Amino acid sequence: SQTIHQWPATLVQPVGSPLSLECTVEGTSNPNLYWYRQAAGRGLQLLFYSVGIGQISSEVPQNLSASRPQDRQFILSSKKLLLSDSGFYLCAWSVLGGRAFFGQGTRLTVV
Amino acid sequence: AQSVAQPEDQVNVAEGNPLTVKCTYSVSGNPYLFWYVQYPNRGLQFLLKYITGDNLVKGSYGFEAEFNKSQTSFHLKKPSALVSDSALYFCAVRDIGYGQNFVFGPGTRLSVLP
């Protein structure tokens, strides 16, 4: 069966420090991968998506970047965090025509 | 571009009463529609989807949704609400373009009162 792992669950980082959030998927091949950010428990903002290894599309220009070094691995990064990067980050995967499967999320607090 | 609206920020209902969470959409072509639920500090859980077929879609935990093409609506319903249904509910439409991204509504917070 398919599973999605996202870690860490919570993270507290100082302003100006780097960030790396990792998401891995098991039980499927060539999934579409997504990073969303959710602020204040409300709507989801699509940050990045990927349809294949090395293929990254950015929806919102900001202080973050994403990479897909392997088929089932999706990484969200930042070189220098800002206070405004705080939020709840969700990774998701899907196949064409199917539903999205979400990870459990990472609560990032930048202090 | 695809878009989803959830006109109610908050819905309150008494336990045992029927509940409805509203969703309207705007798409080009046939819609792929979804409902998800989110509990605090958790990821989104899939409830149900409409791709094609019957307009009444049955999903998890006793939820169902009615697809209405003429009104471009996809309202979520449950005949008898439980306190444990209290959560944040998202309607979503799947884009047909590159990446087939999911466009989510702003969410509706459902509170079921005992």
Side-chain angles (χ1 to χ4, degrees), chain A residues 46-82:
Chain A
L46 178 63
L47 301 176
F48 300 96
Y49 64 94
S50 171
V51 300
I53 296 174
Q55 301 179 61
I56 308 296
S57 297
S58 174
E59 286 291 297
V60 182
Q62 52 199 319
N63 188 41
L64 301 170
S65 62
S67 62
R68 184 172 179 174
Q70 300 180 42
D71 181 45
R72 287 169 289 181
Q73 185 184 29
F74 205 23
I75 299 171
L76 183 68
S77 303
S78 174
K79 292 182 179 178
K80 289 185 178 181
L81 283 168
L82 306 172

Side-chain angles (χ1 to χ4, degrees), chain A residues 7-21 63-64 76-87 89 106-111:
Chain A
W7 67 93
T10 59
L11 189 60
V12 180
Q13 291 284 101
V15 168
S17 64
L19 172 73
S20 181
L21 301 181
N63 188 41
L64 301 170
L76 183 68
S77 303
S78 174
K79 292 182 179 178
K80 289 185 178 181
L81 283 168
L82 306 172
L83 287 175
S84 58
D85 292 323
S86 294
Y89 289 83
T106 296
R107 172 74 58 193
L108 172 65
T109 303
V110 183
V111 296

Side-chain angles (χ1 to χ4, degrees), chain B residues 4 11 14 20 29-30 49 62-63 67 73 83 100 102-104 106:
Chain B
V4 177
V11 170
T20 298
N30 293 322
K49 68 178 179 182
F63 284 94
F67 171 67
S73 67
V83 172
Q100 290 202 359
F102 293 83
V103 177
F104 287 85

